[in-house]
Amino acid sequence: MKKEMPMNLHELFDTGIDRPLNNVDHVALSHTQLRILGEQGTGSFYFLDLEKLRDNYHRLRRAFVSVYENSQIAYSFKTNYAPVIGSRLKELGCMAEVVSAMEYHIATEVLGYAPDKVVVNGPVHEADFVEKILLDGAQFNADAWYLLDMTGEICRRYPERQFHIGIRLTYPIAEGGFSRFGIPSDATNLQRLREWQAAHRNCRIRGLHSHFSNSSRSLVSFADRIAGLLKASDMLFPEAPPDFINIGGGFFGEMPQSLARQYVETPGFAAYAQQIGQAMRQRFGARSDVTLLLEPGTALIANAMVFACKVLEVKYAEGKILALVNGSNHNINHKWAGEALPVQLVSQRPQAGGAEFDVVGNTCIEKDIMRTGVRGHVAAGDYLVFQYMGGYTNVLKQPFIHPCQPIYCWEDGRVFVGKRQENVNDILATYVL
Ligand SMILES: Cc1ncc(COP(=O)(O)O)c(C=O)c1O
């Protein structure tokens, strides 16, 4: 159910802009548009371009399908589980990747994903939940031996049922890659998996999964990721190929130049598709029944959302210029590793030149410095728009000192509320006096 914005806002947008986030280096929102959106809540907000999200999905899918036809995307809900995102991706035929009972509920109960279109990963699950997803027919990937023990117990309780699972593996990969998640893909564990399979006739291990968030997002790293899965697949499925190989997420998406310049390499979707798709093709053939699953989060959503906050005051102290905004590090900083985040100054009264300033947040924490060294003529009333903010932002934001901000969505030339501004009642709903 869409919650519409007041009419005057539509009129403003109808006449104002074509596509707000069309250019990753420059957000097309004007100062007036930002101000009017800010005035709907407490000043700062996320702005999500659903058309950009669709573009990302189509571009990623096309890139992979053109190299390896049997490729399928499952969007990583943890990256941003705002229901509006999952709902639009479902319309496009995208699957869901979830890691908890909460995310599974959002995908299946709220958004209506069929369980067999949901990949369930994650290291920690209750036995009741594992039973439910196995009975539902979801695509469960066991991450650890205790989950295989749980699965075995469920198999024994339902001897008349036929189940299927996948296994998440971990193995060393290039560029610092190590994952504490998954079952180590060594001879001992692979042998144990063969024995598990032999002992559980009503559950078929039908595919392999890995995901690494510690390595770089480079092609070398992905070469090792896919090689590790294919090697284990040869050892575990010597007679017939598995149903799927799941390469996980971890792809870079299209991003502002100022951010891209900070990485050694930012492969595009076509390069990832070549690296991974070709390996699949060589191993299983071009028209294979083995599905290549991808679990992108960042690559689909990061560049489709920005965080906008208003400058409340500009202070000069100790030789520094500090722009105080009504947003915080909690809104924008997730898994960053020290990158200078791309930010655009949208001035009320634009002027050329200016000096370097730091953007400081609203949380009373000294370290709440959102960016240093931004250049421009900053003044109270201006807006700062942080780009590439779709992943691990609103879902990690806590109501520390201030309630969480709304998400405004752009679609078909209209703006609507994807998440309303939180208030004190939302925060206190789970506490008692
Ligand atoms: C299992 C799994 N798949 C996919 C993702 C999405 O990763 P990214 O946002 O880097 O694409 C994650 C994120 O941590 C994950 O844990």
Side-chain angles (χ1 to χ4, degrees), residues 76 78-79 97 121 168 211 217 249-250 295-298 335 392:
S76 152
K78 78 182 75 62
T79 309
E97 185 266 337
N121 295 321
R168 177 165 176 172
H211 170 81
R217 296 170 183 263
E295 299 174 344
T298 304
K335 305 203 289 190
Y392 312 99

Side-chain angles (χ1 to χ4, degrees), residues 207-221:
L208 298 177
H209 170 236
S210 69
H211 170 81
F212 297 84
S213 50
N214 272 347
S215 175
S216 76
R217 296 170 183 263
S218 70
L219 293 177
V220 192
S221 152

Side-chain angles (χ1 to χ4, degrees), residues 390-401:
Y392 312 99
T393 49
N394 53 295
V395 287
L396 281 173
K397 169 76 174 69
Q398 291 162 5
F400 177 57
I401 302 183

